[in-house]
Amino acid sequence: MKFNKQKSPQAEKEFGGTLGATCIPVFLPLTVLYLLCVCRSPVASVLQWPPVLPPTAQLWDPLAPVLILGWMALQSFFYLLPMGKVRRALLLPLAVCAIGVSFLLSLYLYICSFWAPHHALAQGGNTGNPLYDFFMGRELNPRIGSFDLKYFCELRPGLIGWVVINFGMLMKEVELRDSASLAMILVNGFQLLYVADALWNEEAVLTTMDIVHDGFGFMLVFGDLAWVPFTYSLQAAFLVVHPQSLSPLGATAIVTLNGAGYYIFRKSNSQKNQFRRDPTHPSVANLETIATATGKRLLVSGWWGLVRHPNYLGDLLMALAWSLPCGFNHLLPYFYVVYFTVLLIHREARDERHCRAKYGLAWDSYCRRVPYRIFPYIY
Ligand SMILES: NC(=O)C1=CN([C@@H]2O[C@H](COP(=O)(O)OP(=O)(O)OC[C@H]3O[C@@H](n4cnc5c(N)ncnc54)[C@H](OP(=O)(O)O)[C@@H]3O)[C@@H](O)[C@H]2O)C=CC1
Ligand SMILES: CC(C)CCC[C@@H](C)[C@H]1CC=C2C3=C(CC[C@@]21C)[C@@]1(C)CC[C@H](O)C(C)(C)[C@@H]1CC3
């Protein structure tokens, strides 16, 4: 880098010249503190004599630099995102990169798992077949220090990345057509609600099959880091290229469907989580249950008496509501509904196997009491 010592011609000093430039950096920070102190005082009048400066203990907190630097880092990240005036279509290179990262991370996890203690290994991913174990994941909850890689990946980069991509698509639509369409707003709103719900209830993910049972291998790594952000955002990406007009009546019906799906999803998940946390809690204490040999009980009334997976039912209704704003002329936006139905039917069968192994006869009597798996009177 060349050192430039040139002076600009006729440089006219502003802000009071050298004196101003010396005093302002002292005066303005003091003004900020003064205004805040006045604001906290009972009279809160700027005409009052400046209140005395609070003791040092009130001026300094070690958490403050962490919060400020953290906020700066977050904003730097947003600033670097390919949104706004950047016009390059980066979606494909991003997906390629996420896929590459998924492979590398899975390979790293696979290799590291050979140093993991026996009790840290997952049941399913230790067959001795390298390809299968690489896919399923050998280690259950791999960590770097106390940083739980699976828990982090399941909830943060992919899920948040999904809503960021969706928002990028909304901005792209505004750039192309001067405003966001109703269809795009609905898709963004619905999926934002879903992701916000997952983050708000983040501890609930600890009881999912992925965390409790499955190893952290390519399936989950790729699912979390590449699949979720780049395929779950397909509806928004579709709407940029294929704008749809939506009647108020159609929009109302779709919002109602998403609302109903979300209600079933949230209520049923919360009911089970509450019951597992504290079965004596008033909101679940009156529900009918059956005992199992493990000491745990199974709910047979309430949401879990309706079908064996009411939460999947709610999730599928939402999935449909996310595709409907894209109209009926293309199949692509319905990819998610089809994929998700297959995923949940397969997942239900896996969970059923685990539960039968865990609860034996009690599970069979639950299945007799609640014969339908996901769709009442259908399946
Ligand atoms: N958007 C997406 O891509 C995906 C979303 N999901 C969502 O994730 C959520 C979690 O799903 P998942 O982990 O598959 O499974 P569930 O949350 O449905 O949990 C299943 C477990 O619940 C317990 N259980 C089952 N029946 C009963 C009962 N009658 N009474 C009490 N406990 C019972 C059993 O565990 P135990 O007895 O040991 O407590 C069983 O193993 C769901 O809402 C699903 O829709 C899932 C996959 C992908
Ligand atoms: C690569 C394959 C085709 C499939 C990979 C499956 C994964 C994408 C999903 C397995 C379980 C998931 C869950 C969620 C996202 C999708 C994956 C990772 C979840 C975090 C979505 C938000 C929900 O509220 C949840 C309950 C927290 C979900 C947990 C399971």
Side-chain angles (χ1 to χ4, degrees), residues 135 153-156 159 162 194-199 201-202 204-206 208-211 214 218-229 231-232 265-266 269 311 315 318 322 335-336 339-340 343-344 347 350:
F135 178 76
C153 288
E154 185 101 350
L155 280 173
R156 306 293 166 110
L159 275 191
W162 169 22
Y194 190 71
V195 171
D197 175 275
L199 297 175
N201 297 290
E202 71 172 337
V205 91
L206 292 172
T208 60
M209 191 191 299
D210 320 71
I211 300 284
D214 296 338
F218 181 77
M219 180 186 70
L220 272 183
V221 173
F222 168 78
D224 291 340
L225 302 185
W227 182 257
V228 167
T231 67
Y232 286 27
F265 168 83
R266 176 66 3 250
N269 273 325
N311 47 356
D315 225 335
M318 282 191 279
W322 299 350
F335 168 79
Y336 180 71
Y339 139 78
F340 200 43
L343 178 100
L344 289 185
R347 202 172 164 92
R350 287 184 72 207

Side-chain angles (χ1 to χ4, degrees), residues 25-102:
V26 177
F27 178 71
L28 281 190
L30 285 177
T31 308
V32 173
L33 295 181
Y34 165 71
L35 290 173
L36 288 177
C37 290
V38 169
C39 186
R40 283 162 23 134
S41 72
V43 276
S45 160
V46 282
L47 296 177
Q48 74 187 75
W49 191 247
V52 282
L53 213 59
T56 330
Q58 279 190 37
L59 290 174
W60 167 252
D61 190 315
L63 185 61
V66 176
L67 290 177
I68 292 289
L69 291 177
W71 180 243
M72 299 280 284
L74 185 71
Q75 292 303 322
S76 318
F77 168 71
F78 286 146
Y79 174 74
L80 292 172
L81 281 180
M83 292 193 299
K85 298 235 165 64
V86 179
R87 276 150 219 266
R88 279 187 305 145
L90 258 186
L91 207 55
L92 221 48
L94 283 177
V96 169
C97 189
I99 293 167
V101 168
S102 306

Side-chain angles (χ1 to χ4, degrees), residues 8 21 69 83 118-119 126 146 152 175-176 196 202 210 257 275 310 324 347 351 359 370 377 379:
S8 42
L69 291 177
M83 292 193 299
H118 186 73
H119 69 260
N126 289 278
S146 62
F152 169 74
E175 184 186 304
L176 291 175
E202 71 172 337
D210 320 71
L257 180 66
F275 180 70
L324 288 173
R347 202 172 164 92
D351 190 49
Y359 300 126
V370 185
Y377 304 106
Y379 176 75

Side-chain angles (χ1 to χ4, degrees), residues 286-333:
N286 294 330
L287 294 173
E288 204 183 333
T289 60
I290 50 176
T292 75
T294 65
K296 269 183 170 181
R297 304 186 74 86
L298 289 168
L299 289 164
V300 286
S301 67
W303 288 105
W304 297 80
L306 179 71
V307 282
R308 299 208 290 271
H309 273 288
N311 47 356
Y312 290 3
L313 173 66
D315 225 335
L316 283 167
L317 294 180
M318 282 191 279
L320 184 61
W322 299 350
S323 301
L324 288 173
C326 302
F328 299 104
N329 293 334
H330 295 82
L331 269 180
L332 185 86

